Amino acid sequence: MKRKLTLKLIAKELDVSISTVSKALRDSAEISEDTRQKIKAFAKLYNYKPNNIALSLKNRKTRTIGIIIPQIVHHFFTKVIKGIEQMAREHNYNVIITLSNNDFDKEVLNMELLANGSTDGFIVSLANETLHKDDFRHVTEAIDQGMPVVMFDRIVDEIPCDKVLIDDREGAKMGVRHLLKTGCRKIAIITTKDYVTIGKLRTKGYIEALESYGVRVQKELILKLDNIDRCDDECSAKIKHFLKDNDIDAVFTVNEMFAVTAARHLNALGKNVPTDVSIVSFSDGELSKHLIPSLSTVSQHGELMGRKAAELLINKLERPEDEVEEYTTAYIDTTLIERESTKKIKN
Amino acid sequence: MKRKLTLKLIAKELDVSISTVSKALRDSAEISEDTRQKIKAFAKLYNYKPNNIALSLKNRKTRTIGIIIPQIVHHFFTKVIKGIEQMAREHNYNVIITLSNNDFDKEVLNMELLANGSTDGFIVSLANETLHKDDFRHVTEAIDQGMPVVMFDRIVDEIPCDKVLIDDREGAKMGVRHLLKTGCRKIAIITTKDYVTIGKLRTKGYIEALESYGVRVQKELILKLDNIDRCDDECSAKIKHFLKDNDIDAVFTVNEMFAVTAARHLNALGKNVPTDVSIVSFSDGELSKHLIPSLSTVSQHGELMGRKAAELLINKLERPEDEVEEYTTAYIDTTLIERESTKKIKN
DNA sequence: TTTTCCTACGAAAACGTTGTAATCTTAATA
DNA sequence: TATTAAGATTACAACGTTTTCGTAGGAAAA
């Protein structure tokens, strides 16, 4: 196995010192034109590339961003990553992704692992279990150690760091308003339990939208589920009964899976979408687009979110030492995408 | 900003040498029980963690695997990554992911970037443009430098390295056979042009399945499209006409998007799936699962593929120096998943 | 007492860089 | 001719580890 080319090898080969080689390659004026050319030619010929690890150690910087997310088999996170990737690349940063699988211990482990010199900062979306446990020491510890952290999507208010959020309340409001505009009045919502910030805020938006139209909010039309973005059999059964037991003409869901499951059950119940029941879902997924009928959604723009998160982090990483600490919370707007699961707006 | 705790700081604090601290923490018998306890207690109290970068530099190993893939917004790659992640984690490796966006130059750049000390080896799926250009120097160069490389899915036969592939021919055969078993005889295929290896092999499987049942292969029932995994308007229109113009009772597609598009057009044509026309698709997607009706698929097991790729790579990384070079090509079996788009098998 | 052998620690090198300071030439100036 | 200046190169330390080798001091053996 060939050994990677190093300054030392070049130096030995050309019979100069290591310093000379280093300086020549960095175009230092200290080195004579002759020597510089010779060294650069040699380096180019044998394709010398400085060793990143050594540089990281020396500079105490890795130019690497660590992403900690619950899972990757999820279109939303996938898009966020893409956004982060883009922005990172533009600023010459690398990206390491680790998955927590929604497991608290694994999340802690991953953060510790990456905190030991591998990354300059973190972009984090917390695991379900972490939110549940209400234990964020691993995050605050990282922050205390001087690691900049940006949280997105699944955040915790109390942690002092930059945050990027979807404007969940506004988004939900927009989605439900659309249902109202198309004439629906018996609008249900399928959401998560309140400890999930997202669910809570979206529920709030739902309520506000109804109130703004003078529609009474009925408690029995609000279904709060334990699941967050998967929908297992139990979850599916609950949705089924919910849809069967209530007289509704529309359903708003806080994620795609709930919507798809609802669509399936409505279909089984012989209800036509959108004639009998309209559906609007919060989403950043492919599913909505291709379902028959395709789903109208409140689109989350995960890519933008990723870009923003990366931007905030990079700002922190490159700010001068003495700058005052200051935390931003950025909101990413949502867009309503009309598809086949809602009726046309009446004029 | 607090400085990270290092051996040096501990040594200074406890008034011993750096060596002593290092040894104590690694439970060396050289250090007296007393000192050892004292040092370990201190380290624990202040949460000392060795610096990874320094270790990497020293050991000339990073315990990091680099993944180079065309895109991440694609369920298949997402699953592969998950598989790689798992296996890596089990063997105490980290994972860095970079995206080529199907762009040749970016792929080259990414590989060079990661090759400079950041990773011990690569898992690669080539960009379309790279396959088209037929230029693989960046890969062979990495291999020449002693970087183990494992290719998966979009591979090139000539490159000497481990490879992981889906058994496309067998998979397609199994899918089409299932259609035959459920009584279908007028089976169409929607596939890609032959220059895409995957399409070619799957078409071959289709033909073999028909022949094994003594069903005549009709050229007009084979639709070869230019697209690979997206399906734009033009592509959709072609599928629409194909379905309208031919009298068929089943359609086999080489990817999920073709299947979804077909389902949509069949629906519009008033054909019931599966009563009038059955559908089987090659896939590793979520779409199939949630479509109404859900699609029967030849499942690709991306996760397994990822695990296998990681396993091969780790084997290479940990094999003794003097072992002979030897390359494996592993095939990942496919599985037929029966859902609602096919009829039950008649006995 | 002298030699040998443990025990418990420390010094130093190495991994690959970079930047500062030191050194050595050679030519110009006084 | 002696001094200085400049130009060109090199030595060295540092980043944080681990590990090999060395060594001091004391106890056991001769």
Side-chain angles (χ1 to χ4, degrees):
Chain A
M1 192 195 301
K2 264 199 304 190
R3 191 64 145 278
K4 259 239 131 186
L5 193 55
T6 66
L7 291 184
K8 198 198 262 191
L9 290 181
I10 300 182
K12 200 161 127 197
E13 207 59 42
L14 298 182
D15 208 31
V16 291
S17 77
I18 297 180
S19 323
T20 307
V21 179
S22 170
K23 287 176 182 158
L25 292 177
R26 329 198 90 242
D27 273 325
S28 159
E30 279 181 71
I31 307 299
S32 71
E33 186 60 25
D34 262 19
T35 324
R36 216 189 311 165
Q37 289 311 324
K38 192 176 62 182
I39 293 176
K40 292 183 90 169
F42 186 91
K44 177 143 197 192
L45 180 61
Y46 292 103
N47 194 29
Y48 167 78
K49 294 276 161 52
N51 179 312
N52 267 328
I53 295 287
L55 284 176
S56 294
L57 183 60
K58 178 141 187 48
N59 302 329
R60 302 245 218 50
K61 296 256 170 199
T62 61
R63 295 201 80 82
T64 300
I65 294 174
I67 305 183
I68 317 260
I69 49 173
Q71 42 166 324
I72 198 178
V73 187
H74 193 301
H75 203 258
F76 173 65
F77 286 119
T78 281
K79 284 229 176 171
V80 175
I81 292 177
K82 199 176 169 194
I84 296 175
E85 259 278 341
Q86 277 174 12
M87 186 59 84
R89 197 66 42 165
E90 285 167 24
H91 290 79
N92 254 304
Y93 278 81
N94 273 54
V95 165
I96 299 188
I97 302 169
T98 68
L99 310 178
S100 67
N101 272 321
N102 272 319
D103 178 287
F104 174 77
D105 292 328
K106 204 162 170 203
E107 186 173 285
V108 174
L109 214 72
N110 281 344
M111 279 204 76
E112 280 178 357
L113 193 75
L114 294 193
N116 300 324
S118 308
T119 59
D120 295 343
F122 286 117
I123 296 180
V124 184
S125 184
L126 292 175
N128 294 345
E129 210 191 334
T130 308
L131 290 171
H132 223 179
K133 271 203 165 172
D134 212 36
D135 183 352
F136 315 114
R137 270 173 302 170
H138 52 304
V139 184
T140 50
E141 251 166 41
I143 295 175
D144 286 347
Q145 278 179 18
M147 273 273 185
V149 170
V150 176
M151 304 187 72
F152 73 96
D153 200 49
R154 304 186 185 171
I155 68 140
V156 174
D157 280 332
E158 301 91 60
I159 300 181
C161 66
D162 286 337
K163 296 170 187 116
V164 186
L165 292 171
I166 294 292
D167 195 340
D168 289 292
R169 204 172 42 78
E170 263 322 310
K173 214 160 154 180
M174 175 167 57
V176 175
R177 277 218 172 114
H178 183 70
L179 288 169
L180 288 160
K181 282 185 208 159
T182 63
C184 301
R185 285 299 177 272
K186 294 176 282 187
I187 305 174
I189 180 173
I190 305 181
T191 180
T192 68
K193 292 272 163 73
D194 278 350
Y195 69 84
V196 187
T197 329
I198 286 174
K200 187 172 163 186
L201 290 173
R202 294 180 188 174
T203 309
K204 204 166 165 192
Y206 158 82
I207 293 174
E208 287 181 16
L210 290 185
E211 283 172 347
S212 78
Y213 264 68
V215 175
R216 192 171 62 86
V217 177
Q218 294 174 264
K219 249 197 160 160
E220 62 272 22
L221 291 191
I222 300 180
L223 176 62
K224 291 186 181 175
L225 296 170
D226 271 318
N227 306 60
I228 295 200
D229 40 39
R230 310 241 115 211
C231 193
D232 53 20
D233 289 344
E234 191 193 330
C235 161
S236 175
K238 281 185 185 162
I239 293 179
K240 182 175 172 185
H241 286 118
F242 178 70
L243 294 173
K244 207 162 107 187
D245 298 344
N246 290 291
D247 172 34
I248 59 176
D249 57 12
V251 55
F252 177 77
T253 71
V254 299
N255 68 44
E256 199 170 37
M257 283 316 297
F258 290 172
V260 170
T261 310
R264 174 165 285 273
H265 289 309
L266 287 170
N267 193 278
L269 288 169
K271 308 250 189 188
N272 180 279
V273 177
T275 325
D276 302 325
V277 179
S278 298
I279 301 180
V280 168
S281 151
F282 228 101
S283 142
D284 203 332
E286 285 287 284
L287 231 53
S288 321
K289 212 182 296 177
H290 298 291
L291 208 70
I292 308 172
S294 56
L295 300 181
S296 298
T297 61
V298 176
S299 172
Q300 292 183 70
H301 303 298
E303 223 162 308
L304 265 182
M305 193 160 195
R307 288 186 67 88
K308 188 66 192 178
E311 189 193 318
L312 287 174
L313 185 63
I314 292 171
N315 271 347
K316 276 275 184 299
L317 291 176
E318 300 193 340
R319 109 201 111 136
E321 283 281 341
D322 50 351
E323 204 175 293
V324 270
E325 200 68 63
E326 197 171 75
Y327 299 117
T328 319
T329 298
Y331 286 91
I332 305 296
D333 283 334
T334 52
T335 314
L336 185 83
I337 301 186
E338 279 186 70
R339 296 207 184 87
E340 299 165 358
S341 68
T342 45
K343 291 174 279 189
K344 292 271 167 283
I345 295 181
K346 296 174 187 169
N347 289 319
Chain B
M1 191 195 304
K2 265 198 307 192
R3 191 62 145 281
K4 261 239 132 190
L5 193 56
T6 66
L7 291 183
K8 200 199 264 189
L9 289 181
I10 300 182
K12 202 162 125 196
E13 208 60 42
L14 298 182
D15 208 32
V16 290
S17 77
I18 297 181
S19 329
T20 306
V21 178
S22 172
K23 285 173 187 164
L25 293 176
R26 326 199 92 241
D27 275 324
S28 160
E30 277 181 70
I31 306 299
S32 71
E33 187 60 23
D34 263 18
T35 324
R36 217 191 306 166
Q37 289 311 324
K38 191 176 63 180
I39 292 176
K40 291 182 94 170
F42 186 91
K44 180 145 195 193
L45 180 61
Y46 292 103
N47 193 29
Y48 168 78
K49 293 277 160 51
N51 179 312
N52 265 327
I53 294 289
L55 285 177
S56 294
L57 183 59
K58 175 133 188 57
N59 302 329
R60 303 244 216 55
K61 295 255 171 201
T62 61
R63 295 201 80 81
T64 301
I65 295 174
I67 306 183
I68 316 260
I69 49 173
Q71 40 167 329
I72 198 179
V73 187
H74 194 300
H75 202 259
F76 173 65
F77 285 119
T78 281
K79 285 233 176 169
V80 175
I81 291 177
K82 198 175 170 193
I84 296 175
E85 260 278 342
Q86 277 174 11
M87 186 59 84
R89 196 67 41 164
E90 286 167 24
H91 290 79
N92 254 304
Y93 277 82
N94 272 54
V95 163
I96 299 188
I97 303 169
T98 68
L99 310 177
S100 66
N101 273 320
N102 272 319
D103 179 287
F104 174 78
D105 292 327
K106 204 161 170 203
E107 185 173 286
V108 174
L109 215 69
N110 282 344
M111 281 205 74
E112 281 180 357
L113 194 72
L114 294 193
N116 300 324
S118 308
T119 59
D120 295 344
F122 286 116
I123 296 181
V124 184
S125 183
L126 292 174
N128 291 346
E129 208 191 336
T130 307
L131 290 171
H132 227 183
K133 268 202 164 169
D134 213 37
D135 182 352
F136 315 113
R137 269 173 303 169
H138 51 306
V139 184
T140 50
E141 251 166 39
I143 295 174
D144 286 347
Q145 279 181 16
M147 275 271 184
V149 171
V150 176
M151 305 187 72
F152 74 95
D153 200 51
R154 305 192 184 166
I155 68 141
V156 173
D157 281 331
E158 301 90 59
I159 299 180
C161 66
D162 287 336
K163 295 171 190 118
V164 186
L165 292 171
I166 295 292
D167 194 341
D168 290 292
R169 205 172 41 80
E170 262 323 308
K173 213 161 155 179
M174 173 167 58
V176 175
R177 276 216 173 115
H178 182 70
L179 289 168
L180 288 158
K181 282 185 208 159
T182 63
C184 301
R185 285 300 177 271
K186 293 176 283 186
I187 304 173
I189 180 173
I190 306 182
T191 180
T192 68
K193 293 270 164 74
D194 278 349
Y195 66 83
V196 186
T197 328
I198 285 174
K200 187 172 165 186
L201 289 172
R202 294 180 187 174
T203 309
K204 203 166 164 192
Y206 159 83
I207 293 174
E208 287 181 17
L210 291 186
E211 284 172 347
S212 77
Y213 264 68
V215 175
R216 192 170 62 84
V217 177
Q218 293 174 264
K219 248 195 163 161
E220 60 274 22
L221 292 191
I222 300 179
L223 177 61
K224 291 187 182 176
L225 297 169
D226 271 317
N227 305 59
I228 298 197
D229 40 39
R230 309 242 115 212
C231 191
D232 54 19
D233 290 344
E234 192 193 330
C235 161
S236 175
K238 280 184 185 160
I239 292 180
K240 182 175 171 183
H241 286 120
F242 178 68
L243 293 172
K244 206 162 106 186
D245 298 347
N246 290 290
D247 172 35
I248 60 177
D249 56 12
V251 55
F252 177 78
T253 72
V254 298
N255 67 44
E256 199 171 37
M257 284 316 298
F258 290 172
V260 170
T261 311
R264 179 165 281 274
H265 289 309
L266 287 170
N267 193 279
L269 287 169
K271 307 251 190 189
N272 180 279
V273 177
T275 326
D276 302 327
V277 179
S278 298
I279 302 180
V280 168
S281 151
F282 227 100
S283 145
D284 202 333
E286 284 287 284
L287 233 52
S288 321
K289 211 182 298 178
H290 297 290
L291 209 70
I292 309 174
S294 58
L295 299 182
S296 298
T297 61
V298 177
S299 171
Q300 292 183 70
H301 302 299
E303 225 162 307
L304 264 182
M305 195 162 193
R307 289 186 67 89
K308 188 67 193 177
E311 187 193 320
L312 287 173
L313 186 62
I314 292 171
N315 271 347
K316 276 276 184 301
L317 290 176
E318 300 192 341
R319 109 203 110 137
E321 283 282 342
D322 50 351
E323 204 176 292
V324 269
E325 199 69 64
E326 196 170 74
Y327 299 116
T328 319
T329 297
Y331 286 90
I332 305 297
D333 283 333
T334 51
T335 313
L336 185 81
I337 300 187
E338 279 186 70
R339 295 208 186 85
E340 301 166 356
S341 69
T342 45
K343 290 175 278 189
K344 293 270 166 283
I345 296 182
K346 297 173 187 172
N347 288 321

